[in-house]
Structures are given as C-alpha cells and as structure tokens.
Amino acid sequence: MPAIVEKISNLGQIAVIQFRIQNGENTIEWEASSAEVKRLRMEPGGQMHVELDGKQIHIMPFRPINDPRRFVDH
C-alpha cells in the first residue's frame, strides 16, 4: 500500500512511525529500531510502501494516554 510518513517519535533506540495510507483515512503505527528508520531514510512527508503479512501481525492493547510512545494531536 502506498503511504506517507506522517510522524516519527524517536525514543532513543526505538522509534514510533505513523503512516497515513494514501487515498484513505487510515493510519498505521509501527515501532522499529531507530537504526532501521535511518537505514530506510524515513522522514515526515516521505513516501513509502507498506506491506502487511497477515501471519506476522501482532495486535497490542490500546496504550494509556500518558504513554510517551503515543502520538498526541494538538
């Protein structure tokens, strides 16, 4: 799926990346190593291609609002 990098939150060795799927209202958040973000040259506004493997998806519970890994809309 074509996607645009909306936000990147760097948390030391880990980063949280928010993608907006093009031609849609949906976003996807991905936690990756900061090294991976650098290797892929990700930056806000950058265009990427997101591919999901249904066998590798792991659903996590919703995080509390004070979790620093969550993006906060202002």
Side-chain angles (χ1 to χ4, degrees):
M1 298 176 281
I4 295 175
V5 177
E6 289 232 319
K7 300 174 186 175
I8 299 175
S9 177
N10 289 304
L11 308 165
Q13 294 181 351
I14 299 294
V16 180
I17 305 92
Q18 183 180 69
F19 297 98
R20 176 158 306 280
I21 304 304
Q22 290 184 356
N23 300 322
E25 297 291 321
N26 298 313
T27 60
I28 295 174
E29 287 185 13
W30 176 48
E31 291 185 14
S33 71
S34 294
E36 185 72 0
V37 171
K38 185 176 182 178
R39 185 185 74 76
L40 293 171
R41 298 185 179 129
M42 286 187 189
E43 57 185 45
Q47 294 188 356
M48 304 295 292
H49 182 85
V50 175
E51 185 174 317
L52 302 175
D53 179 349
K55 294 178 182 177
Q56 300 294 321
I57 293 174
H58 180 79
I59 305 298
M60 299 292 293
F62 186 73
R63 294 189 179 119
I65 195 76
N66 62 351
D67 189 322
R69 294 175 290 184
R70 280 203 65 222
F71 293 106
V72 179
D73 293 325
H74 296 282

